[in-house]
Amino acid sequence: MKVQVCIIGGGPSGLLLSQLLHRQGIETVVLEKHTRDHVLGRIRAGVLEHGFAALMREAGCGERMDREGERHHGFLIAHAGGRMDRVDLHRYSGGNSVLVYGQTELTRDLYDGRETSGAATMFEAEGVALHDITSPRPWVSYRSRGEPCRVDCDYIVGADGFHGMSRHSIPRDVLREYERVYPFGWLGVLSRTPPVSPELIYVRHERGFALCSLRSQVLSRYYVQVPLSDRAAAWSDEAFWAELRRRLPAEVAARLITGPSIEKSIAPLRSFVAEPMRHGRLFLAGDAAHIVPPTGAKGLNSAGADIHYLYHAMRAHYRHNDDTGLEAYSQKALTRVWQAQRFSWWMTAMLHRFPDNGSYDDRLQQAELSYLFSSESALASLAENYVGLPY
Ligand code: FAS
Ligand code: PHB
């Protein structure tokens, strides 16, 4: 097979880029390790920056997102003694907002868009390997149902997530990795229950962080911080709901409607960046290059910025033989990646209970929150990061 761009990974990063390029007549193939159903079985992000939503529309896959997604102009932070304060995103970001629409649904929309376009997606692609990535004619090998296959291309995009292989195709003496692993995880539950609040509630509590989110008015998403040693199977639904109630302000806990969990999992938290995001004709995008703790809702949205830069760079290359975007990609993407890293770390440090924290750290977190809600410029800083810094 010969294409212009070979994309490794059929998650939101790879699919969004492939759809955007396809609409510009740039031929791509997506190699995905698993089946479509397996990919769609993952419960992940829930909040889209306005820039990400705009990319979905430009990819021709935004219609259901705009119909079913919920525009949110603010969120709440519950902290000292059950007090709740609102972050007015609309006011402090100059009129911007976020869209609450699950990653599972947007990935489904992207798959539907790709199938309608007739572009090629190879599912259950095994043993993907990259070859001659610093030559003008890179190629990719993989097996499909045991049969050896080959893709010749101009460029390879590694959008295969944190556990993918593409990052490891960059020589060890070139690749630099930066990482911080947090001593806790998020136990998440999805339930077919009405959300406890019309807006998200982030909770700082002495027992640990909690988050009340949603996917729709009949589908709620909740999280509680748990030790890394915990296993989701050891948490009964009753134990989860009781722990969540303990961490919520009394009036919120009183109106919480519980129900059976339809998904329950623990996500470990880490901050991670791999540099550079380009080596020869290989470009890294999304979780393949960076990971953030989900506190700031920047994981999927950071991937969106990478895709924006890569899409415009490849379009300029094929339309105008202009390679300035490709040359600048890694540096430009990493500048925004590190802003998302900073914000995600800040939100995580402010709201979570760190096992080694002493009384000083506890008071510092309280001071951070009281400063935040006493300063318009602090609220403006949070708001502009949460809705999404400019691309
Ligand atoms: P993905 O990991 O989504 O997709 C990569 C794809 O590549 C996968 O489909 C995988 O099967 C495929 N692949 C891997 N290796 C391959 C190989 N060798 N060959 C071919 N294909 C291969 N972000 C938020 O903003 N909010 C959240 O609440 C949130 N929760 C999360 C919870 C969990 C458990 C995880 C893991 C992540 C979470 N994230 C969250 C971040 C998440 O949403 C990612 O940012 C998003 O999935 C990034 O998309 P991709 O870069 O496409 O990577
Ligand atoms: C979610 O709905 O899954 C979600 C929302 C906001 C976050 C993290 C996760 O910061």
Side-chain angles (χ1 to χ4, degrees), residues 129-146:
L130 314 185
H131 308 273
D132 298 343
I133 61 177
T134 54
S135 82
R137 279 179 299 286
W139 58 284
V140 178
S141 62
Y142 68 98
R143 290 185 311 283
S144 177
R145 295 184 177 76

Side-chain angles (χ1 to χ4, degrees), residues 27 51-52 54 70 84 95 97 122 139 160 192 197 207 210 241 255 265 274 295 304 355 364 366 386:
E27 202 182 0
F52 194 104
E70 284 193 11
M84 268 203 307
S97 56
M122 303 303 173
W139 58 284
D160 48 351
R192 291 196 198 289
S197 164
R207 296 177 67 88
W241 294 123
R255 64 173 191 262
S265 56
T295 325
L364 211 52
Q366 292 178 40
Y386 196 87

Side-chain angles (χ1 to χ4, degrees), residues 160-164 166-168 170 172 175-182 268-277 284-294 298-299 302-303 306 333-334 336-342 344-345:
D160 48 351
F162 182 68
H163 300 292
S166 55
R167 177 172 75 244
H168 304 295
I170 297 178
R172 295 232 42 93
L175 190 71
R176 298 182 303 281
E177 295 179 330
Y178 305 85
E179 185 169 45
R180 167 172 294 189
V181 178
Y182 295 85
L269 269 60
R270 83 175 67 237
S271 298
F272 173 82
V273 180
E275 296 184 1
M277 290 175 60
L284 301 181
D287 278 19
H290 42 76
I291 296 280
V292 285
K298 290 297 151 218
S302 299
D306 298 345
L334 283 166
R336 196 175 186 285
V337 161
W338 278 106
Q339 289 306 319
Q341 293 283 325
R342 180 209 68 80
S344 304
W345 165 81

Side-chain angles (χ1 to χ4, degrees), residues 141-341:
S141 62
Y142 68 98
R143 290 185 311 283
S144 177
R145 295 184 177 76
E147 287 303 309
C149 303
R150 172 175 172 142
V151 179
D152 289 286
C153 52
D154 300 334
Y155 297 103
I156 300 170
V157 176
D160 48 351
F162 182 68
H163 300 292
M165 46 67 66
S166 55
R167 177 172 75 244
H168 304 295
S169 305
I170 297 178
R172 295 232 42 93
D173 62 342
V174 173
L175 190 71
R176 298 182 303 281
E177 295 179 330
Y178 305 85
E179 185 169 45
R180 167 172 294 189
V181 178
Y182 295 85
F184 40 73
W186 281 17
L187 169 61
V189 157
L190 193 65
S191 61
R192 291 196 198 289
T193 53
V196 74
S197 164
E199 292 184 326
L200 273 61
I201 305 176
Y202 289 82
V203 182
R204 176 187 177 272
H205 189 276
E206 60 189 13
R207 296 177 67 88
F209 170 84
L211 172 60
C212 301
S213 184
L214 58 119
R215 293 291 179 270
S216 71
Q217 286 311 306
V218 294
L219 195 59
S220 298
R221 180 70 168 164
Y222 295 104
Y223 297 94
V224 294
Q225 171 189 343
V226 293
L228 272 179
S229 53
D230 274 19
R231 293 288 168 265
W235 278 84
S236 68
D237 287 359
E238 293 67 29
F240 176 84
W241 294 123
E243 187 58 37
L244 178 62
R245 278 205 171 92
R246 288 188 198 99
R247 301 186 189 185
L248 292 175
E251 74 276 15
V252 179
R255 64 173 191 262
L256 178 67
I257 297 174
T258 65
S261 59
I262 56 176
E263 194 271 350
K264 189 188 292 174
S265 56
I266 293 180
L269 269 60
R270 83 175 67 237
S271 298
F272 173 82
V273 180
E275 296 184 1
M277 290 175 60
R278 174 195 185 176
H279 184 63
R281 297 254 174 158
L282 169 63
F283 295 85
L284 301 181
D287 278 19
H290 42 76
I291 296 280
V292 285
T295 325
K298 290 297 151 218
L300 178 60
N301 290 303
S302 299
D306 298 345
I307 297 312
H308 169 87
Y309 298 137
L310 213 37
Y311 160 54
H312 286 278
M314 289 189 164
R315 190 174 69 168
H317 167 79
Y318 284 109
R319 263 195 190 170
H320 312 298
N321 204 27
D322 169 3
D323 285 356
T324 49
L326 292 174
E327 297 303 322
Y329 169 72
S330 180
Q331 180 269 324
K332 190 162 188 177
L334 283 166
T335 299
R336 196 175 186 285
V337 161
W338 278 106
Q339 289 306 319
Q341 293 283 325

Side-chain angles (χ1 to χ4, degrees), residues 10 55 107 121 138 337:
L55 283 171
T107 306
T121 304
V337 161

